[in-house]
Every structure is written in structure tokens, then in C-alpha cells.
């Protein structure tokens, strides 16, 4: 029998009702499961996502004021960069492929595939996914590979024309080792990570504590808006930014929110 939502998109599994209270979150999971079947995502990416969901609950599944500030600073760094690169892994390609391509075109920046669980099949599938989303150039797959010094994971293999010679790298759902190594190479690293305590968050030049599904579209619109700014205004924006303070603000935000929620459940606070 047809339900009232039968004309709606029930997700790729066909079982997510249009009025499900966690519909958006479930549809994101479906995208990831589909990407796993298409060799874009690694199985480990599902675990990483679950970790992120937990932190997303803690910040209220919304882009916080401090994340908006980080997004603005990131837009300025990307627009000021001489050789900006967006590093793409399986989760990013699964969740925001079109937005990544638009962002790369708008800055303009290069797109490079870089994987922790690297294999030829996944590299090719991710490249094709980005090409279907409109990318004309995708580095990191068949181009000349060099290695990041002092890094031993598969992430050390990067394109000579891309990440290796970049000055600003945007990445997400990353491991701390490469972030640290990139910073040691003198690069500015912008990371998107829901966990403010991850090593990537701590080592980055700018951390955007937000979900990639919200942060990348917001970064795209900020880049479009700030493209008309003069150089001095862009430089001034990031002058007093301190990422350790940014992390401290994120932690205070979470702790105050949890305290307020706890009071709410005890019947003492106002509703959140
Ligand atoms: O595609 P590959 O082979 O490069 O592998 C990528 C994964 C994600 C498997 C790998 O980098 C990994 O294991 O990552 P971690 O160490 O689990 O770190 C992922 C971080 O991203 C965690 O701090 C999560 O909280 C955070 N995270 C998860 N989902 C999101 C997120 N941050 C922003 N947006 C999300 N949707």
C-alpha cells in the first residue's frame, strides 16, 4: 500500500520515509554506502563517519559562529594562495563531489586525490567521480608522484605539481601525521574536522570544526563573496587568527552546550 510519502525520495535503500526525523543524516549514510559499493569509500571511512556524527551531535548539527569565522579565514587564505590545492579522499568525494569541483574552479585551486587506504581502483573511481562532477584536471592519480619527507603512510605519495609544490592545502577527515608533515614543509593547512581534539585539528593552520557537508558549500559561497575584496582586506582578516584559541573556543562551546542541555533535562534550564 502507498504511504503519504510514496512520491518522495526514499534513499537508495528505498526505506527512508520522507518524514523520518533523522532523514538528512540517514540519506548521508546512504551516500556513503553507495560510495563504498562504487570503490570510492574505504570501509574505514564508515567508521570515521560514525565518529564524526558523534561530534556533530555535540555541536548541535549546525555551523557554529566560530566555524563560520574559520570558514571566512580559510576563504581569505585560499584566495591569497599562489598554489592552492584541495586534497580529496574517499569520504569527501562521496559526500560533496560537485561542491568540491565548484570550489576548485572558483578559487581557482587544483584538485588532488590523496588516500590513506590507497589502491589503484579507488584512485581511479574517485578521479572519475570528480570528472563526472565537472572536474577537468584531477591530480594524484597518473601524474608524477613524489613523497612528503618524514611521512611513512600511503598519504606520503603526492603529485609534484599539486600538493608537493602547494602553499595552501585544504583537506578533511585527515590523519594527523600528514597534517603535521605538511605544516613542517611550510604549507598552510586548512582542515575540516568535526573533532576539535583530533591531531589534524590541533596541527592545522586553520581548523573548521564542522561537517564537510555544511562547510564546503559555505566555503564556496564565502570564496565567491570575498573574491572582490582587495588583497589588504584579505590579509588583515587572518592577521590575528590563532588556531589554538579557535580549538579552545570549540571545546568551550561544546562544554557549555552540554552543561545547558544537562540543566534542561533536569528541568532547570531553558529549552535548547
Ligand atoms: O579515503 P581514505 O583512504 O583517505 O581514508 C579516509 C579515512 C577517513 C578513513 C581516514 O582518514 C581516517 O581513518 O580518518 P580518521 O582518523 O577516522 O579521522 C576522521 C576525522 O574526521 C575524525 O576526527 C572525525 O570526527 C572527522 N569526521 C568524520 N566525518 C566527518 C568528519 N569531519 C567533518 N565532516 C564529516 N562528515
Amino acid at each position: 500500500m502507498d504511504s503519504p510519502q510514496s512520491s518522495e525520495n526514499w534513499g537508495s535503500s528505498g526505506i527512508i520515509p520522507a518524514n523520518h526525523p533523522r532523514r538528512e543524516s540517514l540519506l548521508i549514510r546512504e551516500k556513503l554506502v553507495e560510495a563504498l559499493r562504487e570503490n570510492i569509500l574505504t570501509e574505514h571511512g564508515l567508521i570515521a563517519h560514525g565518529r564524526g556524527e558523534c561530534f556533530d551531535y555535540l555541536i548541535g548539527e549546525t555551523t557554529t559562529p566560530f566555524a563560520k569565522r574559520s570558514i571566512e579565514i580559510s576563504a581569505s587564505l585560499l584566495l591569497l594562495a599562489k598554489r592552492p590545492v584541495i586534497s580529496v579522499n574517499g569520504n569527501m568525494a562521496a559526500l560533496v563531489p560537485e561542491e568540491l569541483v565548484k570550489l576548485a574552479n572558483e578559487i581557482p585551486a587544483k584538485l588532488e586525490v590523496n588516500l590513506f587506504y590507497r589502491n589503484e581502483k579507488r584512485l581511479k573511481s574517485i578521479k572519475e567521480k570528480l570528472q563526472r562532477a565537472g572536474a577537468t584536471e584531477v591530480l594524484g592519480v597518473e601524474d608524477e608522484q613524489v613523497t612528503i619527507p618524514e611521512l611513512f603512510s600511503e598519504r606520503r605519495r603526492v603529485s609534484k605539481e599539486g600538493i608537493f609544490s602547494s602553499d595552501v592545502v585544504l583537506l578533511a577527515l585527515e590523519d594527523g601525521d600528514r597534517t603535521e608533515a605538511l605544516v613542517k614543509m611550510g604549507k598552510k593547512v586548512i582542515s575540516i574536522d568535526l573533532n576539535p581534539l583530533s591531531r589534524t585539528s590541533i596541527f592545522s593552520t586553520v581548523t573548521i570544526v564542522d561537517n564537510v557537508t555544511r562547510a564546503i558549500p559555505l566555503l564556496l559561497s564565502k570564496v565567491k563573496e570575498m573574491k572582490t575584496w582587495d588583497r589588504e582586506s584579505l590579509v588583515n582578516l587572518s592577521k590575528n587568527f590563532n588556531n589554538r584559541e579557535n580549538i579552545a573556543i570549540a571545546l568551550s562551546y561544546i562544554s557549555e552546550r552540554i552543561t545547558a542541555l544537562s540543566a534542561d533535562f533536569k528541568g532547570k534550564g531553558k529549552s535548547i
Side-chain angles (χ1 to χ4, degrees):
M1 196 181 88
D2 271 356
S3 87
Q5 300 88 32
S6 59
S7 61
E8 300 289 335
N9 169 17
W10 286 54
S12 57
S13 64
I15 60 165
I16 300 180
N19 62 352
H20 193 287
R22 301 287 310 156
R23 178 178 159 82
E24 288 311 314
S25 168
L26 296 179
L27 289 177
I28 288 175
R29 286 185 179 185
E30 298 230 321
K31 268 194 188 177
L32 293 169
V33 170
E34 230 169 280
L36 183 69
R37 293 185 186 128
E38 291 170 351
N39 286 310
I40 288 164
L41 198 79
T42 162
E43 292 92 333
H44 315 82
L46 295 176
I47 300 167
H49 182 77
R51 210 182 200 181
E53 280 184 339
C54 173
F55 284 98
D56 213 3
Y57 259 82
L58 298 180
I59 60 167
E61 294 178 299
T62 182
T63 304
T64 60
F66 62 87
K68 283 185 186 154
R69 178 166 178 245
S70 302
I71 288 170
E72 200 170 52
I73 307 277
S74 303
S76 75
L77 293 183
L78 288 164
L79 288 168
L80 285 167
K82 290 200 173 70
R83 299 181 66 93
V85 175
I86 304 176
S87 179
V88 183
N89 69 3
N91 290 60
M92 290 168 87
L95 294 176
V96 281
E98 283 86 14
E99 293 84 349
L100 287 172
V101 174
K102 283 185 194 155
L103 180 63
N105 289 341
E106 200 66 41
I107 296 168
K110 290 187 185 301
L111 284 166
E112 177 167 341
V113 185
N114 181 275
L115 303 178
F116 188 84
Y117 298 98
R118 184 188 169 93
N119 65 52
E120 291 304 318
K121 228 176 173 178
R122 288 189 64 218
L123 287 172
K124 199 168 160 275
S125 303
I126 293 171
K127 181 175 180 175
E128 284 168 5
K129 176 94 179 173
L130 293 172
Q131 285 171 332
R132 284 198 299 279
T136 48
E137 187 188 34
V138 179
L139 301 175
V141 182
E142 281 134 8
D143 46 319
E144 193 185 347
Q145 304 279 314
V146 287
T147 54
I148 297 175
E150 294 175 47
L151 188 66
F152 300 99
S153 75
E154 286 297 313
R155 282 209 199 276
R156 72 185 185 280
R157 300 180 204 281
V158 291
S159 161
K160 195 176 176 191
E161 286 306 303
I163 289 170
F164 192 79
S165 47
S166 66
D167 53 353
V168 176
V169 182
L170 169 68
L171 44 83
L173 289 99
E174 178 74 17
D175 63 293
D177 283 11
R178 187 172 70 129
T179 305
E180 195 179 5
L182 290 172
V183 170
K184 269 192 194 158
M185 284 175 86
K187 301 178 194 307
K188 290 185 176 150
V189 176
I190 301 166
S191 66
I192 304 172
D193 194 323
L194 278 160
N195 177 5
L197 288 174
S198 76
R199 293 177 65 249
T200 291
S201 290
I202 291 165
F203 288 127
S204 298
T205 316
V206 181
T207 306
I208 302 170
V209 181
D210 199 10
N211 199 314
V212 285
T213 57
R214 296 187 298 267
I216 294 286
L218 286 173
L219 186 55
L220 173 61
S221 59
K222 267 289 154 200
V223 165
K224 279 185 186 166
E225 178 194 323
M226 289 165 61
K227 257 182 125 170
T228 54
W229 290 21
D230 58 45
R231 198 185 150 75
E232 201 189 342
S233 309
L234 291 173
V235 171
N236 283 341
L237 194 72
S238 56
K239 246 183 192 167
N240 297 319
F241 181 81
N242 177 321
N243 201 43
R244 286 190 79 82
E245 272 172 25
N246 179 38
I247 298 292
I249 292 169
L251 293 172
S252 300
Y253 184 94
I254 291 172
S255 114
E256 282 161 25
R257 186 165 182 275
I258 297 301
T259 304
L261 279 169
S262 160
D264 203 22
F265 278 99
K266 284 183 198 151
K268 289 180 190 160
K270 60 176 176 14
S271 263
I272 293 174

